Amino acid sequence: MPTGANNKKKYTYIWVSAIILIFGIFAVYEITKRVKGGTVVENDRMSVPLKNTKVGFVVNQGEKRRVPDFSFYNQDSVLITNEDYLGKVYVVEFFFTTCPTICPVMTKNLVELQETFKGDEDFGVASFTINPRYDTPSVLTKYAKKYGITDEDWHLMTGNQDKIYQLAQEGFYIFANEDQDAPGGFEHSGMFALVDKKGYIRSRKDEFGNPLIYYRGTITEEQGVNSDGETQQITILKEDIKKLLAE
């Protein structure tokens, strides 16, 4: 092959390599910028479509669903009502301290949210025990210490069992029931509800345009997917909390 052809081929390789290098540097820069900006999330690789990220209202019979009135004592024996949460974005759960199955994972996920929004006075958690006969304020205090619950706006509440069950089933449509055949003697949903600053229950929509209504609380971000093929929703819950905090 003539010398001129060799030189031409050599320069072609140099230009191709330069272009690849430039695009590589740009890609690394973009990824680094997104990491620093906090925009690289699990949804970059999970199945939840990003186009459905608007946090809409949960509607029932044409009415926006609001949290009903409630009044229970927290782990510090302080009376807490729904009005104490007005002006805050908060997550609701129903649990019990002796739960041997899903509750520890749910609490771990809520502690993750606590750390994510640490220092934000407009964020809170409302945890209602479905075993109030055992879960007294002193028991709830020990539970809080065990799991590192430190947020002053995270109230673990106890009180009349019938009223708590009514709040769960009629207020949030979250299942809770005493069942001696269930692990720990109680059966309940592992879902979280999200409430905005005005007391409305909020949710994003799924890929089919239907509201999620609830967020899975029994799968961690680290786990990703459970044995049933269900995807964790703590990442999208974090995103939706941020959106509601900014409203």
Side-chain angles (χ1 to χ4, degrees):
M1 182 180 293
T3 303
N6 284 333
N7 289 337
K8 183 177 181 181
K9 186 175 182 180
K10 177 179 178 182
Y11 290 136
T12 300
Y13 285 144
I14 292 174
W15 276 109
V16 170
S17 299
I19 292 172
I20 292 174
L21 178 61
I22 291 171
F23 275 102
I25 293 172
F26 178 77
V28 170
Y29 168 75
E30 285 297 311
I31 293 173
T32 302
K33 184 172 68 174
R34 293 181 65 202
V35 168
K36 289 182 178 180
T39 58
V40 172
V41 296
E42 284 292 314
N43 282 335
D44 287 341
R45 61 181 181 84
M46 302 307 281
S47 60
V48 180
L50 292 177
K51 65 180 181 180
N52 293 315
T53 57
K54 182 178 179 180
V55 191
F57 292 89
V58 176
V59 179
N60 184 32
Q61 297 181 346
E63 296 288 333
K64 297 177 183 177
R65 281 177 51 191
R66 295 194 65 163
V67 175
D69 293 344
F70 65 80
S71 178
F72 300 105
Y73 286 95
N74 72 0
Q75 67 269 36
D76 298 317
S77 298
V78 175
L79 188 65
I80 302 297
T81 74
N82 54 293
E83 293 187 357
D84 289 303
Y85 283 97
L86 291 178
K88 299 184 185 297
V89 175
Y90 65 103
V91 178
V92 173
E93 69 153 348
F94 291 85
F95 81 115
F96 61 107
T97 62
T98 56
C99 173
T101 55
I102 62 176
C103 293
V105 179
M106 294 168 65
T107 303
K108 180 180 179 181
N109 279 328
L110 290 172
V111 170
E112 170 66 21
L113 295 179
Q114 170 189 265
E115 296 308 306
T116 299
F117 299 99
K118 191 172 184 178
D120 195 321
E121 296 181 354
D122 292 336
F123 173 74
V125 179
S127 298
F128 301 92
T129 176
I130 60 174
N131 185 15
R133 288 192 297 270
Y134 178 82
D135 289 339
T136 61
S138 61
V139 171
L140 294 175
T141 296
K142 293 177 182 178
Y143 187 85
K145 290 180 179 179
K146 176 181 177 181
Y147 285 95
I149 297 172
T150 58
D151 193 323
E152 293 182 355
D153 294 310
W154 184 345
H155 302 288
L156 290 80
M157 288 171 275
T158 187
N160 181 276
Q161 180 168 303
D162 291 338
K163 290 183 178 180
I164 291 174
Y165 281 31
Q166 183 179 18
L167 178 65
Q169 297 167 359
E170 298 179 16
F172 289 96
Y173 300 159
I174 291 179
F175 179 76
N177 187 44
E178 189 168 2
D179 183 355
Q180 294 303 316
D181 295 327
F186 296 86
E187 188 175 1
H188 64 116
S189 167
M191 297 300 222
F192 296 150
L194 179 60
V195 184
D196 68 15
K197 295 177 182 179
K198 295 182 179 180
Y200 289 101
I201 301 172
R202 304 285 292 271
S203 168
R204 70 166 62 189
K205 295 181 179 180
D206 63 18
E207 62 267 37
F208 304 108
N210 301 312
L212 293 178
I213 303 180
Y214 309 111
Y215 299 78
R216 296 188 191 104
T218 57
I219 312 172
T220 65
E221 286 184 296
E222 183 180 5
Q223 183 183 0
V225 180
N226 67 10
S227 58
D228 294 324
E230 296 174 323
T231 302
Q232 63 87 12
Q233 293 181 333
I234 302 305
T235 300
I236 64 172
L237 178 54
K238 288 180 181 179
E239 294 176 357
D240 292 351
I241 290 170
K242 289 179 182 177
K243 288 182 174 63
L244 295 185
L245 286 171
E247 286 188 349

